[in-house]
Amino acid sequence: MRISIDMKAFKKISVAGLLALAMLVAGCGKSDDDGPILIKFPHVTAPGTPKGQAAQRFKDLVDERLDGRVVVEVYPSGQLMSDDDSLDALAFGEVQMIAISLSKLDRLTHKFQVFDLPFLFPDLSTVERFQASQEGMSLLDSMSDKGLRGLTFWHNGMKQFGGPIPMRSPDAAVGLKFRVMESDVLQAQVLQIGGNPQKIAFGEVYQALQTGAVDAQENTWSNIYSSKFFEVQDYLMETNHGYIGYLVAVNPEFWDGLPEEIRAELDTIVNEVGVWANEQASVINEDGKQKIIASGQSEVLALSAEELAVWQDAMTPVWDQFEGNIGAEFIEAALAARQ
Ligand code: SIN
């Protein structure tokens, strides 16, 4: 059974009605006697990014190992829907798999805000140790009652700031309009340095920078390169002040309804791709950085340890602001993952 939903229309229906609808359509990707199981997998970044490559590898391995019993359709670059819409679409069975930036789960649970705390994770290895901890693993299944189950995490990389002026110190950020993802922590982080945060969907960032709707942004090298933000940002500051990673998630009813041997094979592939994706992520980000430098269109500034310490002091007060929301045990587990 396939049901198509007008995303704008169904946001207006009552919550009770939507939940009933969810029960009905959650199994839509399941196989029936007529054909293969369909997994629609939309995401917002370009095919060459860490997420784009991982999604494609997932599809390739499914093609290779499941012999046509499962068909994966990957829709990159936001061509099917925005991240925000994909959360609804997953809950209602319109798509079967997503890999959404952890920051954008703020809408469903505050626990994921831990990933947005500035300067909490010094590098990807620390993030990985935290994700593998008891607290990190508990996050995967923390939203099943909201129509979403995490299978694993994939990295993108560390975030850098970009803007119209050199920003060696947070003083330079005062009064600038910053694009941030849909996260209250990221909003607070910009307020903390005297900037004006604007939550804007990924697909609208280039235009917002180009038209001056925002002056500045934060993202990974691979996203800044593949989405061409460097063409509309005169300076990029290598701050590594935060993390972008993804939750690979499915609709619990769809997943649990799959034939057991197929689900087991898909689980194996998801985990295998996770290991592969995390190895590729740093290489892809470094490649993006070098291509930006080579383009000469944006000046990349390396910051000294002293300059970074000033940024850190300016931004870390948001930890206290969000500790109650997140739960102190998650921040402690992240700190314990540092070496
Ligand atoms: C992504 O990497 O999926 C998008 C991140 C963003 O919205 O900046």
Side-chain angles (χ1 to χ4, degrees), residues 112-166:
F112 279 78
Q113 290 179 336
V114 68
F115 290 106
D116 283 340
L117 294 178
F119 293 102
L120 177 58
F121 297 102
D123 49 40
L124 299 185
S125 307
T126 306
V127 176
E128 255 166 65
R129 284 190 292 273
F130 168 70
Q131 288 173 341
S133 71
Q134 196 185 326
E135 288 76 10
M137 293 300 285
S138 75
L139 292 171
L140 291 176
D141 209 15
S142 60
M143 293 168 288
S144 285
D145 59 338
K146 301 193 171 107
L148 181 152
R149 178 185 301 154
L151 298 180
T152 191
F153 299 103
W154 289 347
H155 289 323
N156 183 331
M158 303 304 289
K159 286 185 291 189
Q160 324 300 335
F161 276 126
I165 51 170

Side-chain angles (χ1 to χ4, degrees), residues 43-45 51 83 99-101 104 156 179-182 200-203 205 218-220 223 229 244-246:
H43 69 86
V44 298
T45 62
K51 179 164 56 179
D83 275 326
I100 189 162
S101 163
K104 295 174 186 171
N156 183 331
R179 179 270 171 168
V180 291
M181 288 185 274
E182 297 83 341
I200 295 177
F202 187 64
V205 179
E218 52 165 13
N219 225 301
T220 61
N223 280 351
F229 300 160
I244 293 184
Y246 306 110

Side-chain angles (χ1 to χ4, degrees), residues 23-78:
M23 301 291 284
L24 175 68
V25 300
C28 281
K30 275 188 249 171
S31 173
D32 55 34
D33 293 342
D34 302 330
I37 294 162
L38 176 63
I39 297 184
K40 282 190 179 181
F41 188 167
H43 69 86
V44 298
T45 62
T49 56
K51 179 164 56 179
Q53 295 205 17
Q56 184 59 41
R57 188 166 177 91
F58 174 71
K59 174 188 168 44
D60 291 345
L61 292 182
V62 169
D63 284 350
E64 202 177 294
R65 296 189 195 162
L66 280 160
D67 204 23
R69 283 178 295 161
V70 178
V71 171
V72 179
E73 291 177 359
V74 177
Y75 297 92
S77 306

Side-chain angles (χ1 to χ4, degrees), residues 39 58 90-91 95-99 140-141 143-144 146-152 247-256 258 263 266-267 270:
I39 297 184
F58 174 71
L90 187 76
V95 301
Q96 288 70 40
M97 186 175 270
I98 61 172
L140 291 176
D141 209 15
M143 293 168 288
S144 285
K146 301 193 171 107
L148 181 152
R149 178 185 301 154
L151 298 180
T152 191
L247 185 73
V248 182
V250 291
N251 178 299
E253 292 196 34
F254 163 71
W255 203 247
D256 292 341
L258 291 173
R263 192 176 56 244
L266 289 173
D267 272 328
V270 164

